[in-house]
Amino acid sequence: MLSRPEWIAALARASAEELATALAAAAPIPPHRRLRGPEVGLTMLRGRAGGDGAPFNLGEATLTRCSVALEGGPVGHAWRLGRDCAAAEAAALLDALFQAAPERAGPLLAPIRARLAAEAERTARRAAATEVRFATLAAMR
Amino acid sequence: MYVAVKGGEAAIEAAHAWLAAARRGDPAVPELGLAQIEQQLSLAVDRVMAEGSCHDRGLAALAIKQARGDLIEAAFLLRAYRTTLTRFAAAEPLETGRMRVLRRISATYKDLPGGQVLGPTFDYTHRLLDFALAAEGAPPPPPAPEAEASGAPMPRVSEILAEEGLMRREAPGEAAPPPDLTREPLRFPAPRALRLQALARGDEGFLLGLGYSTQRGYGNAHPFVAELRLGEAEVVLHPPELGFPISIGEVTVTECQMVNQFAGAGDAPPQFTRGYGLALGHCERKAMAMALVDRALLARELGEEVAAPAQDEEFVLLHADNVEATGFVEHLKLPHHVDFQSELEKLRSIRARFEAERAAPRAEAAE
């Protein structure tokens, strides 16, 4: 079963179409209302000096957030990079639904998680194909 | 002095209408879509995000289209737009050591854990114009080759040196949030966190020239690229209503660790020091130049002589921002009619006095 941070991570990366599909599969959707948003704002991205030292402000990124409450039930939250308000609202609703029924998260998000894993795998395989294989007579240090 | 002048409205309207037409160009040529800019001019998009200091590929593509490809103008548009948005939260520092690597090379070690990964690079290309690209409608190139990924960790080269005690360690962070240029003005001496923020959004061309100057002897640098990385780093937020950190997506960043020798001073033994470059998007030249300039600016902290332009933090930080620079340079185009009128009158009166004084001795001599 997926943990809440795991399903939130998948929801944040899913497209609006993927989330609409997941919502359709989750029907019937109980009554709910928006508590906040969806609204577009910014997050300040930070780096670390030298990669591992003190934090510094690198630059901002657009961010969309939304909170949805199921009637008499849990409140779902969505935070995602970018400006897709429809996706943020669907993600918040799904987060609320999954809190009420955590066992549904895994099956409903399986296609999204599979797509993300395949993309990460393809990137890793493409990078691996550009790794230099040195042909030398002796190992150098 | 600026004076409100009426009378330009019609001319300005006509100029803007012409600008819109010139932006579109020949209507017989298909219009450029934002997706095309975002996908096919992706390094321009990256530069605008880095210098506009706002990660949003779609907005950067729109800014490029609106600015007719003028990337500084586009960065200006993006900066202006970002001021209309509220900052909801600061993200946790990116863990660049754990990024999903697209490219990772080291000029200091041939064999290193994780290997030399070239990624999608211009390096080793011939820089000959490829006229095959001029033929439109060609089928897309075949997918990039793939190979079994080992999944081996890629430790930082700087960490390998630090383990041996040969690399100066970075000072750990403080609990307080780092200073933010967008919220408070630059102060000197500027802490390193503020310098890195200014450099990360600084003009690539300005930093490139300064970095180059340190290599040519203005700053006594003999740098090595210990590591250059391009990859997707996870963005983690800590929303107060949740009470636990969440992962909300990835951003592509370029990171450069530049190693320099340091002779040692006081209690500090001779060791390597590093300059650090990190920028939004894929922009190696920027990250490398930033690392060179960051190292040059460490001169004061390391007790080195501050003699070269790249070591002078006021000079570097006050002039690195291309939006500020273009604002002040380009404002010279705006009407200064009254200003100039007063200059004219002053010059005329000085000239009159000058002529009178030159005439006076001659009059005396004639007497």
Side-chain angles (χ1 to χ4, degrees), chain A residues 4-5 8-10 12-13 36 39-67 75 77-83 95 99 116 119-136 138-141, chain B residues 53-56 58-59 82 85-91 93-96 100-102 110-111 114-119 143-149 156 159 170-173 177-180 192-193 196-197 200 234-235 237 239 241-242 244 246-251 255 257 274 276 278 280:
Chain A
R4 191 165 176 219
I8 285 178
R13 290 162 173 78
R36 179 178 69 187
E39 53 184 347
V40 178
L42 296 168
T43 178
M44 177 55 95
L45 303 174
R46 289 178 174 156
R48 289 183 180 280
D52 53 6
F56 68 94
N57 292 310
L58 174 66
E60 287 164 310
T62 52
L63 175 74
T64 304
R65 68 181 178 186
C66 186
S67 299
V75 176
H77 300 288
W79 295 72
R80 56 186 289 127
L81 289 175
R83 290 168 289 127
D95 178 47
Q99 286 177 73
L116 294 170
E119 283 176 4
E121 170 73 8
R122 192 182 59 179
T123 300
R125 289 179 58 84
R126 284 183 171 177
T130 68
E131 186 180 338
V132 181
R133 317 273 171 197
F134 289 106
T136 46
M140 276 169 56
R141 284 255 169 237
Chain B
S53 200
C54 184
H55 188 283
D56 189 309
L59 289 179
R82 88 152 261 290
L85 298 175
T86 307
R87 192 185 296 169
F88 292 154
L94 301 172
E95 293 297 339
T96 53
R100 187 182 299 150
V101 166
L102 308 185
K110 180 170 72 68
D111 297 305
Q116 306 263 3
V117 176
L118 301 183
E146 296 183 17
E148 199 55 47
R156 295 174 188 285
E159 188 52 39
E170 297 294 351
D180 186 354
R192 187 162 181 219
L196 287 169
Q197 183 183 12
E234 187 179 27
V235 178
L237 280 189
E241 68 268 28
L242 286 178
F244 55 88
I246 57 169
S247 169
I248 61 163
E250 276 83 25
V251 290
E255 181 185 52
Q257 304 263 6
R274 65 187 120 160
Y276 186 66
L278 182 68
L280 295 175

